[in-house]
Amino acid sequence: MSSYSLTHLKQLEAEAIFVMREVASQFEKPVLLFSGGKDSITMVRLAQKAFWPAKIPFPLMHIDTGHNFPETIEFRDRLVEELGVELIVGSVQDSINRGSAVEEKGPNPSRNKLQTVTLLESLEQHQFDAAFGGARRDEEKARAKERFFSHRDEFGQWDPKNQRPELWNLFNGKKNMGEHFRVFPLSNWTEMDVWQYIALEGVEIPQIYFSHQRDVVNRNGVLLGHSEFITVMDGETVEKNKTVRFRTIGDMTNTGAVESGATTLEEIVQEVAAARQTERGNRADDKRSEAAMEDRKKEGYF
Amino acid sequence: MTDQANSIDSQAYLDMDLLRFTTAGSVDDGKSTLIGRLLYDSKAIFEDTMEQVESASKRMGDAQVNLALVTDGLRAEREQGITIDVAYRYFATPNRKFIIADTPGHIQYTRNMVTGASTANLAIILVDARHGVVEQTCRHAFIASLLQIKHLVLCVNKMDLVDYKEEAFTKIKEDFEDFSSKLEINDIRYIPISALNGDNVVEKSEHMDWYDGATLLYTLENVHISSDLNHVDSRLPVQRVIRPQSNEYHDFRGYAGRIEGGIFKPGDEVIAFPSGFTSKVKSIETIDGKLEEAFAPMSVVMTLEDEIDISRGDMIAKPNNQPEQGQDIELMVCWLNEKPLRPGGKYAIKHTQRDGRCIVKEVRYKVDINTLHKIEDDKNIGLNDIARIKIRTTVPLFYDSYKKNRGTGSIILIDEFTNETVGAGMII
């Protein structure tokens, strides 16, 4: 390549940094939604770069379903300490206790949908007017139409048919009182780009992304890590000591593992290159219907 | 895979570049099928997505797997079989990553095409081999040219339906060549394809021996784009002033922004606008260390030798190569909103990181986007219209013509009541 061109990763990095700086300048009170997964960790890395040598000028917020991988929480707390930024935790259990969210019925209720309630309550409580999300357009078909700056009305709703056109790199963050924006700096990244970037930058990620031994329950083809949050149902067995890793990290009740021996970032990059399933293919939350994500997004989901 | 192959593979991505392209075509030109084909043949479609497409194809009674369904997004789009909004798709080959802005072709969606084209390096325009160059082909090509896309690929699709005959292709090529002399695109290529059967998309066709050019994918992989950016006129619009106020960086004062043109190096003389003060570049900082030079489209932090007054929205350039400045600006505008442009109306504007307001002083003419003729007696500018207008801004802008620099030559108009982006402007 000629000396005046950037690699695709450097271009994506420059774009994401630009978007983050725009948000910090255009909004009064932004927040970065942090799940402990690789995409939000990548966002934190980019935020560090965007404002260095100053500190990241906004807090992180974790919407906590209470069904976490313990490794994620340890990682989160250590990262926040190192960065010296504020961490806000919005608890789904608190929303349930308040009566604003109702636990699903049946065995192993998923709190995935309830997160939307807690997210919107937390944004309102702290009066955040912009929230960074790590969602990427390659993840899911409803996300493919998402803007970098995604406008939400006073109910936190997304109106996919009435989005603002987004041209060049001129981002319009103007809004009325009570409205807010979701901003997606990783819009143009693919799963592969994120892994390549993590490998290139040597970004630290939770150990459960790497191959390890774990007891799993096979539920409709999704390998759920066996934990206190999982009730083994009739016809299911616990498979002991499977060699697995996670491609995404979400709630323990719906994030499936993949069988893998990948123990290094380079091996993960190789594995992703050869993968024949999307990463969300292991997410039970997306399997509910063809438009599951579109419906959740309209209500105000991540 | 051998260890050696492993190590080569794992390093390859450190050298990949990025091509952004937009696709346009009339309804039923096979655009979704073409994108489905590119993604499928470059193995960017995962098995679970493919299973969904297969079951959806069956449900809709299609005889074979309908690759067009790969690109279906929203529920209403699936139900109506149309594309409503710009959708972005991604795939990669060993040397290049691709971002497709997939834009709907209906006449009412000019605004989506303009949006998709605004960041594209290349445009693919599809023509049905049976119908040839139609009004929409010209409109799409005009928009690509107006938005200063440097490379255009005219794909003559559905060659299978004209028995792969060379005459059909040649006729369309000649027709388009006539029209394209009015455009400002120098690099135009023509490829006969069948998206449905995969001819000349990824694999060379076995049915068209008379065509000795490249396949579409080969063209996309090899088109030279690194000289498309402006590396001559140095421009750094200031996005944010970085002042850590920590003990370690007590006096640090850096100007963060994305370089929109040219090259900056430590020691270079610079001038800041609107103050007009000059200084020298002290350093170009990143968390990974200082840089010896910076160029578009890098996001950097620049420090200067002197403390001069610079804040968000200001522009850093070089004394011997300055941007134009002024408050009376002529532009081509594409109208993006159902509420028509109000002559004499006031709008908020964004230009680089500069915010301001403007008043529309004059509508000079509207463009007939099919013939490129100027319409001087119709000054009603509504949704999807393209017009030349004159505005006066509340603050001076530091700009270049859009032809010279997309980054410093573009502007958006915003409705002050709804906050919607209503106009996309290109400074003349």
Side-chain angles (χ1 to χ4, degrees):
Chain A
M1 277 197 282
S2 93
S3 57
Y4 293 118
S5 67
L6 296 179
T7 66
H8 76 297
L9 290 176
K10 284 290 173 193
Q11 288 196 49
L12 293 173
E13 180 190 69
E15 178 179 83
I17 287 174
F18 178 85
V19 168
M20 288 189 152
R21 288 171 175 167
E22 267 318 274
V23 170
S25 304
Q26 286 195 32
F27 293 90
E28 280 171 29
K29 208 175 168 193
V31 65
L32 188 150
L33 299 176
F34 185 82
S35 70
K38 65 179 191 311
D39 301 310
S40 55
I41 293 168
T42 300
M43 279 205 297
V44 168
R45 176 70 172 178
L46 292 162
Q48 269 184 295
K49 290 194 171 201
F51 303 103
W52 182 89
K55 270 190 197 171
I56 297 175
F58 37 76
L60 310 189
M61 183 160 79
H62 180 208
I63 301 304
D64 182 359
T65 60
H67 298 158
N68 299 296
F69 290 95
E71 295 89 340
T72 313
I73 299 300
E74 283 161 33
F75 182 91
R76 177 195 78 186
D77 293 343
R78 196 156 39 83
L79 182 70
V80 167
E81 170 123 15
E82 280 169 19
L83 295 172
V85 296
E86 185 193 357
L87 172 74
I88 296 163
V89 178
S91 156
V92 173
Q93 187 62 52
D94 287 352
S95 299
I96 293 171
N97 295 347
R98 274 196 297 273
S100 47
V102 180
E103 189 98 77
E104 282 186 359
K105 298 213 163 46
N108 300 304
S110 165
R111 289 183 166 181
N112 187 285
K113 225 180 147 195
L114 307 190
Q115 287 181 96
T116 303
V117 174
T118 310
L119 171 61
L120 294 176
E121 283 179 351
S122 304
L123 291 173
E124 200 172 310
Q125 184 197 337
H126 298 277
Q127 303 207 311
F128 291 123
D129 57 355
F132 288 108
R136 311 183 317 263
R137 288 172 179 152
D138 81 316
E139 274 181 84
E140 207 279 334
K141 57 195 166 201
R143 295 210 195 271
K145 313 236 151 166
E146 188 56 277
R147 303 291 191 261
F148 275 90
F149 273 42
S150 179
H151 178 257
R152 301 302 158 107
D153 66 12
E154 63 267 50
F155 299 102
Q157 297 182 109
W158 180 57
D159 181 1
K161 282 194 199 166
N162 196 20
Q163 302 192 77
R164 291 182 186 174
E166 209 162 68
L167 299 111
W168 301 291
N169 49 16
L170 296 170
F171 295 104
N172 173 5
K174 289 184 192 284
K175 59 179 176 2
N176 292 316
M177 281 292 286
E179 300 174 344
H180 75 275
F181 273 79
R182 300 290 174 80
V183 181
F184 304 106
L186 305 183
S187 289
N188 279 331
W189 298 50
T190 60
E191 183 191 13
M192 187 56 150
D193 297 326
V194 171
W195 282 116
Q196 289 174 344
Y197 188 75
I198 288 171
L200 175 70
E201 292 279 315
V203 179
E204 201 191 336
I205 51 171
Q207 280 303 314
I208 56 176
Y209 276 117
F210 299 101
S211 177
H212 59 279
Q213 312 275 310
R214 182 179 290 263
D215 298 347
V216 298
V217 178
N218 185 331
R219 180 162 298 163
N220 304 325
V222 178
L223 298 180
L224 297 172
H226 188 36
S227 73
E228 56 182 308
F229 309 118
I230 304 284
T231 313
V232 181
M233 296 198 269
D234 281 351
E236 291 177 344
T237 50
V238 177
E239 297 174 42
K240 294 273 182 194
N241 287 325
K242 296 283 273 189
T243 302
V244 296
R245 69 176 200 86
F246 291 90
R247 271 176 87 183
T248 65
I249 295 182
D251 186 302
M252 280 197 89
T253 62
N254 59 33
T255 308
V258 289
E259 293 193 56
S260 164
T263 56
T264 64
L265 287 170
E266 285 301 334
E267 281 170 6
I268 291 176
V269 170
Q270 301 276 334
E271 193 181 282
V272 172
R276 300 304 304 139
Q277 296 276 327
T278 60
E279 55 183 337
R280 294 201 82 91
N282 298 304
R283 294 288 281 255
D285 42 334
D286 287 346
K287 290 207 164 176
R288 295 190 168 194
S289 91
E290 200 175 4
M293 176 66 86
E294 183 179 342
D295 293 340
R296 277 180 292 152
K297 275 183 67 65
K298 281 182 185 163
E299 289 162 12
Y301 189 69
F302 297 101
Chain B
M1 224 181 267
T2 66
D3 282 351
Q4 198 188 1
N6 259 325
S7 64
I8 291 167
D9 274 355
S10 62
Q11 292 302 308
Y13 62 82
L14 299 177
D15 217 16
M16 280 166 70
D17 68 357
L18 178 63
L19 177 85
R20 297 174 198 248
F21 68 93
T22 173
T23 53
S26 323
V27 182
D28 296 332
D29 274 349
K31 183 168 62 70
S32 298
T33 309
L34 175 67
I35 293 172
R37 171 63 63 187
L38 271 175
L39 299 178
Y40 184 73
D41 283 359
S42 64
K43 303 192 171 48
I45 304 178
F46 291 103
E47 274 171 12
D48 43 345
T49 308
M50 207 56 207
E51 280 165 19
Q52 283 177 9
V53 169
E54 280 165 14
S55 69
S57 303
K58 268 186 208 151
R59 235 181 8 250
M60 295 173 77
D62 291 337
Q64 51 183 345
V65 174
N66 185 349
L67 282 177
L69 296 177
V70 169
T71 60
D72 270 359
L74 306 169
R75 195 198 310 263
E77 295 176 322
R78 282 195 299 280
E79 285 164 3
Q80 298 170 35
I82 55 158
T83 321
I84 291 170
D85 203 85
V86 187
Y88 294 87
R89 319 277 170 204
Y90 304 84
F91 70 102
T93 58
N95 299 318
R96 197 166 256 187
K97 174 191 161 100
F98 300 92
I99 301 178
I100 312 176
D102 177 13
T103 63
H106 321 262
I107 187 151
Q108 65 266 42
Y109 292 122
T110 295
R111 76 168 204 172
N112 289 330
M113 243 177 55
V114 170
T115 302
S118 73
T119 50
N121 308 98
L122 178 147
I124 293 178
I125 295 181
L126 276 162
V127 176
D128 188 321
R130 296 167 302 173
H131 305 143
V133 174
V134 296
E135 257 185 19
Q136 295 201 37
T137 317
C138 300
R139 193 172 81 234
H140 295 153
F142 168 60
I143 289 171
S145 168
L146 182 71
L147 272 288
Q148 291 288 312
I149 293 182
K150 308 278 186 196
H151 313 276
L152 191 139
V153 180
L154 194 86
C155 284
V156 179
N157 191 23
K158 307 196 182 182
M159 287 300 292
D160 51 316
L161 299 183
V162 294
D163 297 327
Y164 296 107
K165 283 204 181 101
E166 184 174 9
E167 298 79 58
F169 173 72
T170 310
K171 168 84 172 55
I172 291 169
K173 185 173 176 222
E174 285 169 1
D175 285 351
F176 191 78
E177 276 168 347
D178 275 353
F179 170 78
S180 67
S181 59
K182 297 185 214 167
L183 303 176
E184 293 177 20
I185 306 175
N186 296 324
D187 179 17
I188 302 180
R189 304 166 195 220
Y190 303 84
I191 307 177
I193 66 168
S194 162
L196 190 66
N197 300 330
D199 294 279
N200 288 335
V201 178
V202 172
E203 304 290 339
K204 204 147 172 48
S205 171
E206 289 170 7
H207 303 103
M208 293 178 271
D209 290 339
W210 47 265
Y211 174 73
D212 55 10
T215 64
L216 176 61
L217 184 65
Y218 184 90
T219 305
L220 295 173
E221 281 183 299
N222 291 284
V223 60
H224 183 68
I225 50 169
S226 60
S227 53
D228 292 352
L229 280 170
N230 182 324
H231 292 308
V232 177
D233 310 300
S234 302
R235 305 282 184 262
L236 175 63
V238 176
Q239 211 179 355
R240 189 179 174 83
V241 180
I242 296 199
R243 302 195 61 186
Q245 291 168 327
S246 60
N247 287 335
E248 197 184 348
Y249 295 97
H250 192 73
D251 295 321
F252 188 95
R253 188 184 175 88
Y255 305 104
R258 189 161 191 183
I259 296 184
E260 292 289 3
I263 296 151
F264 289 98
K265 293 179 180 154
D268 282 353
E269 275 202 57
V270 290
I271 179 165
F273 295 98
S275 73
F277 289 127
T278 55
S279 181
K280 279 185 178 164
V281 178
K282 186 175 171 190
S283 63
I284 297 156
E285 304 272 354
T286 72
I287 201 170
D288 307 309
K290 293 184 199 300
L291 300 180
E292 283 175 21
E293 58 184 1
F295 49 89
M298 287 179 164
S299 285
V300 297
V301 176
M302 180 185 286
T303 65
L304 301 180
E305 294 287 357
D306 309 280
E307 279 217 3
I308 56 178
D309 176 25
I310 298 177
S311 54
R312 176 174 165 85
D314 290 2
M315 172 77 80
I316 298 176
K318 294 193 177 169
N320 60 1
N321 181 337
Q322 303 184 8
E324 296 185 52
Q325 50 180 307
Q327 288 171 261
D328 294 295
I329 315 276
E330 296 251 354
L331 39 107
M332 296 299 291
V333 68
C334 174
W335 203 248
L336 310 170
N337 202 270
E338 272 107 19
K339 270 200 283 178
L341 176 143
R342 288 172 285 119
K346 296 188 178 79
Y347 294 93
I349 53 165
K350 271 186 190 291
H351 170 256
T352 62
Q353 275 67 67
R354 207 162 174 78
D355 286 302
R357 301 175 69 214
C358 79
I359 180 165
V360 178
K361 299 292 276 187
E362 190 186 344
V363 176
R364 291 199 187 266
Y365 57 81
K366 186 154 110 178
V367 181
D368 179 326
I369 52 177
N370 297 316
T371 60
L372 310 193
H373 291 150
K374 293 175 189 175
I375 311 171
E376 312 223 3
D377 51 359
D378 176 7
K379 301 198 169 162
N380 296 312
I381 310 303
L383 177 64
N384 296 312
D385 283 341
I386 290 170
R388 180 164 170 163
I389 63 171
K390 192 175 159 186
I391 59 172
R392 177 157 178 93
T393 58
T394 50
V395 291
L397 303 186
F398 310 100
Y399 63 93
D400 296 287
S401 69
Y402 184 78
K403 277 179 196 166
K404 198 165 157 188
N405 191 321
R406 269 181 166 184
T408 55
S410 52
I411 190 167
I412 54 172
L413 274 61
I414 297 164
D415 184 299
E416 293 186 292
F417 301 100
T418 64
N419 294 320
E420 289 172 314
T421 304
V422 292
M426 288 144 279
I427 300 174
I428 291 164

